[in-house]
Amino acid sequence: MKKWFYVLFPVALVAIFLVFYASSRAETERKEQQHREEVAKAKADADAKKAAAEATARADAEKRAEERAATEAKEAKDKEDKYNADMARIKEDTAKSSATAETYAKKVSDLTIELDTLRKQKESLTHDTFELDKQIELAEVTRHNAEMEIQRYDTIIAEKAEQSLMAKMPPPPPEPAKS
């Protein structure tokens, strides 16, 4: 085998490959161009859809934001109205409580004065009762002493009478004789 055969066979195969490659290259480029156009068209459609969706989403977001702002404003107004109503009620309750407290403070003051007066009366009555009890006891002691003096005088008089001859009974008369 000759050496040129080693070179000729691969060169022939490369030439055949180049012919097929050249013919398919034009078709591949055409397909690739179509594919690029389809991709660009799809991308343009996707961009248009995306832009439309973004516009719709933006409009919806703005609408929701407006609704939320209106809702928040309404809630804030309701909350403020409720707060004002509660504050008015608290002020009214405070005024009523203050008036009631003043009334009760006056009653407490009056009752304290009355209690002090009653305590003083009780002390006075207790002192008077004690003085009367003391006078009664002294009167009883004096009476008892007087009774004791009377009994002593009675005893002294009785003793003097017994010792006195006038008070002695004469002896009984003799009994008459019996006949």
Side-chain angles (χ1 to χ4, degrees):
M1 293 221 139
K2 304 219 182 213
K3 290 186 182 181
W4 61 269
F5 186 67
Y6 287 112
V7 170
L8 183 62
F9 185 67
V11 169
L13 286 176
V14 168
I16 293 173
F17 172 75
L18 287 175
V19 168
F20 281 114
Y21 177 75
S23 66
S24 80
R25 185 171 178 213
E27 190 173 321
T28 304
E29 280 188 25
R30 185 182 51 78
K31 284 182 181 179
E32 220 173 272
Q33 184 64 30
Q34 277 182 339
H35 179 68
R36 280 189 216 127
E37 289 174 0
E38 288 175 3
V39 167
K41 185 178 178 184
K43 185 177 179 185
D45 288 345
D47 289 344
K49 284 182 182 179
K50 184 178 177 183
E54 285 178 358
T56 304
R58 194 175 304 114
D60 288 346
E62 288 174 1
K63 182 179 177 184
R64 282 193 304 263
E66 289 174 4
E67 289 174 357
R68 187 176 12 193
T71 304
E72 288 175 356
K74 183 179 179 216
E75 288 175 357
K77 185 176 182 331
D78 290 345
K79 189 175 182 180
E80 185 177 346
D81 290 345
K82 182 181 177 192
Y83 175 79
N84 291 336
D86 289 344
M87 288 306 290
R89 184 179 47 80
I90 288 171
K91 285 180 183 177
E92 182 179 313
D93 290 347
T94 303
K96 285 180 184 177
S97 297
S98 295
T100 304
E102 288 175 11
T103 303
Y104 287 138
K106 186 173 187 234
K107 283 183 181 179
V108 166
S109 175
D110 292 344
L111 290 174
T112 303
I113 292 170
E114 184 179 345
L115 181 63
D116 288 341
T117 304
L118 290 174
R119 281 185 181 154
K120 287 177 183 175
Q121 287 178 355
K122 180 184 173 192
E123 285 180 20
S124 175
L125 290 174
T126 303
H127 186 274
D128 292 347
T129 303
F130 180 72
E131 288 296 321
L132 289 174
D133 285 345
K134 184 178 170 184
Q135 289 176 4
I136 290 171
E137 287 296 321
L138 286 174
E140 285 181 3
V141 166
T142 305
R143 188 179 130 248
H144 184 290
N145 287 340
E147 285 177 1
M148 293 294 285
E149 269 308 299
I150 291 172
Q151 285 178 0
R152 190 173 71 86
Y153 282 139
D154 284 349
T155 307
I156 289 172
I157 292 174
E159 285 178 7
K160 282 191 178 184
E162 278 181 20
Q163 292 175 0
S164 160
L165 292 175
M166 288 174 63
K168 283 191 180 178
M169 293 277 289
E175 280 189 34
K178 290 191 187 183
S179 34

